[in-house]
Amino acid sequence: MKKNYFLSLPLLLSILLGSATLINTGCKGKEATAQQSGNADVLAIPALFERKGELANAAEWQKTKDKVAELNQKIAKDKSDAKSRLQIAAIYLAEARVTGEHPYYYPAILQILDGVLALDPKNFEALVYKSSVKLSQHKFAEAKEIAQQAQSINQDNAYIYGLLVDANVELGNYEEALKMSDKMQALKPSLESYSRASYLREIYGDYPGAIEAMKMAVQAGLPGSEPQCWAKKTLANLYEKTGKWDEAENEYNEIFAMRPSYSFAFEGLAKVEKQRKEYKKAIELLEKASAIMPEFSFEEEMGDIYMLMGEKEKAMAKYSNVITMLEEDEKSGHSSALEFCKLYGKQGNYEKAMEYAVKEHQARPENIDVNQAIAWVSYQLNKKEEAKQYIKAAKKTGSKDPELLEIAASIEKS
């Protein structure tokens, strides 16, 4: 399951405006200290990345540009205006979600946050945002450490527990993730808390419970907002995994009625057509999605469909293109070892896939997805006993993920 760690823009701004640890406005002395120490560049604000194509015609784009310009004017008048800096960071977080321009936005956001932290090293909001970005870069241990710093400043903020859920899930600390999820829901029932509860239920094999919680997440979202569309897309994914393809298709069509340019809905309908063996229709939908957003999963899915169509050369070209995209992401600080493992495996280069599988397993030995990946590669390399050990670890939570169960069945029969 592809996870989206960014908090929504309204949610980020609510943290900014409603936190009990609001920004220290008396930072002029700290700014001077930062400049004297030779770190003046850290206070620079990177430009907003210009949208292209269909996304540039979205109604909110002009409002976004106007707001960023207004905030930059405030900062120009008062470089110690941390509140305006954080509002720009929040907008850039939302833009990263909407446009998929992660290689640009991740470093830009981190630069803004480092500027705020240069002014105020214990700024709660900056730490929250920074943890979120690190999660999206797959720097999970670092994200957890930063989130814990924020938690020590404000233990009554619900969203910090959401970040700790995400970090602990990715590190394979599932029991700790459950505790953090319970705290988040107790403090603030919301789309974000319900969606995390849903994912944990899925991890533990409870698909009916996961669907129920994700429906609650959808209901809690602002109709037509990007976070609600994301929740509906994730609900559709759960329907797909339980064989409820008509329900999944309905969710995607409802997204289109609210947000016609939502690229992940095109991807979702492509999966529906793929399941129907309407491969050409699926490719067309994925091409539309890819034209809106440069998302590697769209290209990878096209590669998978070309393989099903028997067009291996086209499939290999798509996988190679995704590898190039991920290499670009890595230059901006993104960690992609698990993705590289899967892609090289699809190309049949299992030795290379194993290099990345080992690297990721060393970083996250308890994560069930990582254990599934290394089990699959071990099996392909005829390391059957090792594969059985890894697949046992991958099944430890009782997950009923169809792909996991299929791989496990093959390994256990060998």
Side-chain angles (χ1 to χ4, degrees):
M1 175 183 175
K2 182 177 174 60
K3 295 173 282 297
N4 198 328
Y5 302 103
F6 280 158
L7 302 172
S8 67
L9 176 57
L11 177 58
L12 287 163
L13 293 179
S14 74
I15 299 173
L16 174 64
L17 299 174
S19 170
T21 59
L22 284 173
I23 300 156
N24 185 340
T25 56
C27 292
K28 292 186 182 296
K30 293 179 182 178
E31 179 200 338
T33 301
Q35 290 176 334
Q36 290 167 6
S37 64
N39 293 329
D41 286 347
V42 80
L43 298 177
I45 301 293
L48 186 67
F49 191 92
E50 195 69 29
R51 287 192 188 183
K52 300 175 183 177
E54 193 170 343
L55 288 175
N57 299 322
E60 77 272 6
W61 176 228
Q62 187 58 50
K63 295 178 181 178
T64 298
K65 290 194 289 186
D66 290 344
K67 186 62 178 178
V68 171
E70 175 192 330
L71 293 167
N72 273 312
Q73 287 178 356
K74 290 182 178 181
I75 294 168
K77 293 178 181 178
D78 179 6
K79 293 191 183 299
S80 67
D81 184 355
K83 181 176 178 180
S84 293
R85 292 175 181 276
L86 285 167
Q87 285 181 301
I88 292 177
I91 292 169
Y92 283 15
L93 284 166
E95 281 297 295
R97 280 181 64 137
V98 171
T99 66
E101 296 291 350
H102 305 134
Y104 176 80
Y105 274 116
Y106 289 167
I109 295 164
L110 289 173
Q111 180 176 330
I112 295 169
L113 298 178
D114 286 342
V116 174
L117 291 168
L119 298 169
D120 179 4
K122 293 186 177 181
N123 187 288
F124 174 77
E125 291 80 11
L127 291 170
V128 169
Y129 299 174
K130 190 168 185 176
S131 176
S132 180
V133 174
K134 292 296 182 180
L135 280 168
S136 292
Q137 291 183 314
H138 294 186
K139 303 291 181 66
F140 303 120
E142 190 175 351
K144 180 181 177 181
E145 182 180 346
I146 295 168
Q148 287 173 329
Q149 291 177 36
Q151 182 190 23
S152 70
I153 296 168
N154 183 357
Q155 297 187 19
D156 297 322
N157 185 286
Y159 307 109
I160 197 63
Y161 293 102
L163 298 176
L164 288 169
V165 170
D166 297 337
N168 279 297
V169 162
E170 296 299 344
L171 293 170
N173 305 327
Y174 300 111
E175 292 298 323
E176 185 65 19
L178 284 169
K179 293 176 185 177
M180 297 298 101
S181 178
D182 288 345
K183 287 185 178 181
M184 186 182 189
Q185 289 184 72
L187 285 166
K188 188 177 179 64
S190 63
L191 181 152
E192 290 76 19
S193 61
Y194 293 138
S195 62
R196 285 175 169 88
S198 173
Y199 187 55
L200 282 164
R201 290 178 182 182
E202 181 185 351
I203 285 171
Y204 280 93
D206 180 9
Y207 274 113
I211 289 171
E212 178 187 9
M214 195 55 70
K215 284 181 177 179
M216 294 171 69
V218 170
Q219 292 169 0
L222 179 67
S225 66
E226 194 280 336
Q228 192 201 45
C229 290
W230 173 83
K232 287 180 74 66
K233 183 267 295 185
T234 309
L235 175 60
N237 294 159
L238 291 168
Y239 284 139
E240 291 167 9
K241 290 183 178 182
T242 52
K244 299 177 181 179
W245 288 95
D246 289 342
E247 287 90 337
E249 185 176 20
N250 287 339
E251 293 296 327
Y252 294 128
N253 285 327
E254 287 179 10
I255 293 172
F256 277 126
M258 299 184 294
R259 205 174 182 93
S261 62
Y262 194 66
S263 57
F264 292 105
F266 284 107
E267 180 194 32
L269 286 179
K271 290 181 180 179
V272 173
E273 296 298 345
K274 173 185 172 183
Q275 191 269 338
R276 293 171 177 163
K277 301 187 187 311
E278 296 285 350
Y279 298 134
K280 290 185 178 180
K281 288 182 181 179
I283 291 290
E284 289 174 2
L285 288 163
L286 287 165
E287 287 174 342
K288 289 180 180 179
S290 189
I292 296 170
M293 177 187 290
E295 166 60 39
F296 79 84
S297 65
F298 303 158
E299 297 289 310
E300 184 176 357
E301 187 67 32
M302 279 191 263
D304 293 348
I305 294 170
Y306 280 130
M307 285 294 284
L308 292 172
M309 295 171 69
E311 298 188 38
K312 185 175 180 181
E313 187 174 338
K314 286 185 178 181
M316 293 298 111
K318 286 295 180 183
Y319 296 146
S320 294
N321 187 38
V322 177
I323 288 172
T324 299
M325 292 171 73
L326 290 174
E327 287 172 344
E328 287 298 312
D329 269 6
E330 287 226 322
K331 292 177 184 177
S332 69
H334 193 280
S335 178
S336 305
L338 184 58
E339 289 79 7
F340 281 126
C341 166
K342 293 177 180 179
L343 285 160
Y344 280 115
K346 288 180 179 183
Q347 289 186 323
N349 189 345
Y350 297 115
E351 294 291 346
K352 190 74 171 177
M354 180 58 82
E355 289 179 22
Y356 284 104
V358 169
K359 178 180 178 181
E360 193 70 8
H361 191 265
Q362 288 173 342
R364 301 191 285 154
E366 300 300 322
N367 181 276
I368 59 174
D369 294 330
V370 174
N371 277 285
Q372 176 183 325
I374 197 169
W376 175 67
V377 178
S378 297
Y379 176 70
Q380 297 297 330
L381 291 171
N382 205 33
K383 298 179 180 180
K384 296 180 179 179
E385 291 306 312
E386 291 181 21
K388 288 178 180 178
Q389 293 176 9
Y390 290 128
I391 204 66
K392 181 179 179 181
K395 293 174 65 180
K396 67 181 179 182
T397 63
S399 171
K400 293 183 175 64
D401 180 82
E403 183 181 354
L404 168 63
L405 296 180
E406 182 180 353
I407 291 171
S410 297
I411 292 172
E412 289 161 2
K413 287 178 184 178
S414 62

